[in-house]
Amino acid sequence: MYTAGEIAERIRTGQITSREVTEELLARIAADTMVNAVVEVRREHALAEADRADALLAERRGAVEQGGVVGRDGLDRPLLGVPVTVKDCFNVAGMRTTWGNPAFAEYVVDHDALVVERLDRAGAIVVGKTNVHTMLADFGQTANEIYGRTNNPADLNRTPGGSSGGAAAALAADLTYLEYGSDLVGSIRLPAAYCGVYGLKPTNGLVPQRGFEIPGTPYLPTELPVLSTIGPLARSAADLRTALRATAGPEAPYSYNLRPPRHDRLQDYRVGIVTDHPSAPVTSEVGDALSDTIDRLARSGAKIVNNWPDGVNANEQAEEFGRQVELFFALHGDSDSALTAADVRDLDRRRLQARARWQQYFQDVDVFLCPTTFTVAFPHGSTTIDGQPYETQVFWIAHASLTGHPALSMPIGHTPAGLPVGAQVIGPWHEDDTAITFAELLAG
């Protein structure tokens, strides 16, 4: 299966039409009876948009600027004619937004989420939505009473992760070319690792969240701390960059450019590395893949810096993230909390202190490489994993979630049984493309 960038190029150069690509993808989705990743489609809308993309390309064939197709409105459209999907927590006009909750099974809106608007502006065709765990409430599994359970394409008896499990599984099963998900407690990165695709949690706040709210809840921009982040999943690091360029930036006026990566050669990177920790000891399969990856990195000539940043206690920061999640639900949910004003003040100070320690570290180090999680995809319904508590999945993703730094999961290999293994790349604050470019170069 092609990446989004590759299929966009084939459409742009006339090797295939958007109509053909979209029909093929819709046929694969309709034929899927095993993975259950894409749970709703809008076929007629998708085909009409594909025809419009083909007509525009026929009219403007050869008019190329900066790697993208220039439409009649003069905008760069790097995803023109490419069918994509989004997680079933984003509003799409005319489609249901269920959050996997039967109470919202028939909730339909007449407007798009901002991220959907921006994907459309980039030329992408949102053909459907992918499955989620009920109310996005599980980072390790994806199932709900409306659409049922999503399975991992590498082993149908195993989880794809959650709550963006449908998103990652759809990419791994060739049921979409690009996907948009959300990440509070690893809900992009964990599924990406379990399914063997790329998933980016951008710098917190980089992608506006209008249209990503519980059904019936009005959207209110907030200046309160927001741990939840929305970001892309893809088959390549380059696709993450393309998607982020299309969707990042303030709501209005819409103008934003990604900060360029620090280096464009792997050997120029200074890479911090931690591969194991007693609180989340990696399995031998994950450890072997990480070891091979680090050997390849060392052979490239990149400078490797072992150990955690100075002043960072990994256990303390992981525990602090748990407290921050409690604060997040106190500030953004509707449940009562025993937190006092002094508690909120102290939590915010600790969050910003943690960010400052990592930012100090990134003055001398370009990226930090570590496991995405300690294990590979586990059997459905597991409550303990490889002898560890279920919550151990969160340890490795907690640090970037706490500080808001950009972090992506990238595939680094497979176990002998064919299960994907992922590694996490954490980058400096608002230097998302440094992490993306490093992952792109490391993948070779």
Side-chain angles (χ1 to χ4, degrees):
M1 184 90 169
Y2 294 98
T3 67
E6 289 168 343
I7 204 67
E9 177 68 7
R10 296 190 77 225
I11 293 170
R12 184 187 69 80
T13 56
Q15 299 175 59
I16 195 169
T17 67
S18 176
R19 174 84 184 205
E20 291 169 335
V21 170
T22 304
E23 285 183 333
E24 288 174 5
L25 186 66
L26 289 169
R28 284 197 295 272
I29 293 170
D32 172 52
T33 60
M34 305 299 288
V35 176
N36 189 36
V38 180
V39 292
E40 187 177 2
V41 298
R42 46 178 186 173
R43 178 181 177 83
E44 296 308 315
H45 170 89
L47 293 176
E49 289 299 306
D51 289 340
R52 274 191 278 273
D54 288 333
L56 177 59
L57 281 164
E59 182 180 322
R60 298 296 300 268
R61 185 77 66 196
V64 178
E65 287 185 359
Q66 298 179 349
V69 176
V70 178
R72 283 170 291 192
D73 55 7
L75 292 174
D76 182 34
R77 294 186 172 187
L79 296 170
L80 185 57
V82 178
V84 306
T85 51
V86 297
K87 186 177 179 178
D88 185 23
C89 56
F90 296 110
N91 290 336
V92 178
M95 299 189 75
R96 297 185 294 171
T97 306
T98 77
W99 286 57
N101 188 336
F104 306 132
E106 301 304 325
Y107 183 82
V108 178
V109 296
D110 60 1
H111 59 278
D112 292 336
L114 183 56
V115 70
V116 174
E117 291 179 10
R118 291 181 175 179
L119 287 170
D120 178 73
R121 186 179 300 186
I125 302 169
V126 177
V127 303
K129 289 191 171 186
T130 52
N131 207 19
V132 301
H133 196 80
T134 307
M135 295 303 292
L136 319 188
D138 197 325
F139 45 78
Q141 302 176 79
T142 293
N144 60 70
E145 294 181 18
I146 302 175
Y147 298 120
R149 186 180 74 188
T150 297
N151 301 313
N152 192 313
D155 182 340
L156 299 176
N157 295 311
R158 294 176 182 260
T159 181
S163 61
S164 306
L171 282 161
D174 296 346
L175 302 178
T176 189
Y177 286 98
L178 186 71
E179 168 72 27
Y180 231 88
S182 63
D183 189 309
L184 172 61
V185 187
S187 285
I188 288 174
R189 289 163 289 165
L190 292 173
Y194 293 146
C195 291
V197 299
Y198 291 79
L200 172 69
K201 181 198 81 66
T203 298
N204 279 30
L206 183 58
V207 182
Q209 298 191 11
R210 177 164 58 85
F212 168 54
E213 57 266 346
I214 295 173
T217 303
Y219 170 67
L220 294 174
T222 179
E223 294 181 0
L224 295 171
V226 178
L227 294 182
S228 182
T229 308
I230 62 177
L233 296 94
R235 283 196 198 85
S236 72
D239 281 355
L240 296 179
R241 182 187 301 109
T242 298
L244 195 60
R245 283 175 174 167
T247 57
E251 285 200 46
Y254 177 52
S255 177
Y256 183 82
N257 290 308
L258 288 180
R259 185 172 178 178
R262 292 186 178 184
H263 311 288
D264 57 13
R265 300 189 311 166
L266 190 60
Q267 59 262 42
D268 294 333
Y269 275 82
R270 298 160 294 177
V271 185
I273 288 177
V274 173
T275 61
D276 207 355
H277 194 279
S279 293
V282 300
T283 63
S284 60
E285 295 170 325
V286 172
D288 288 347
L290 282 166
S291 178
D292 290 344
T293 299
I294 292 167
D295 288 346
R296 186 168 71 253
L297 184 61
R299 289 194 299 271
S300 78
K303 180 182 178 182
I304 294 176
V305 180
N306 286 292
N307 217 339
W308 294 89
D310 289 343
V312 169
N313 182 303
N315 276 330
E316 289 179 0
Q317 286 202 352
E319 292 170 1
E320 180 62 28
F321 175 61
R323 291 187 285 269
Q324 295 288 335
V325 172
E326 179 185 355
L327 174 61
F328 172 85
F329 285 112
L331 293 175
H332 302 282
D334 56 6
S335 58
D336 293 333
S337 173
L339 292 171
T340 66
D343 292 332
V344 173
R345 176 200 63 203
D346 292 343
L347 283 164
D348 204 41
R349 284 179 177 173
R350 291 198 294 271
R351 177 178 64 87
L352 295 176
Q353 286 168 351
R355 181 186 298 172
R357 291 190 187 102
W358 278 90
Q359 275 302 95
Q360 179 67 34
Y361 173 75
F362 283 126
Q363 290 185 17
D364 299 314
V365 172
D366 298 312
V367 294
F368 183 80
L369 180 68
C370 66
T372 305
T373 189
F374 74 100
T375 187
V376 294
F378 48 89
H380 289 296
S382 298
T383 55
T384 59
I385 307 163
D386 295 304
Q388 298 294 325
Y390 190 78
E391 293 75 17
T392 306
Q393 295 174 77
V394 177
F395 176 85
W396 291 101
I397 62 90
H399 307 90
S401 294
L402 169 66
T403 63
H405 283 87
L408 65 84
S409 182
M410 63 176 293
I412 58 169
H414 291 81
T415 70
L419 297 174
V421 180
Q424 183 177 210
V425 180
I426 302 174
W429 181 255
H430 276 293
E431 294 188 57
D432 299 62
D433 202 10
T434 291
I436 293 170
T437 299
F438 172 79
E440 185 177 28
L441 293 169
L442 183 57

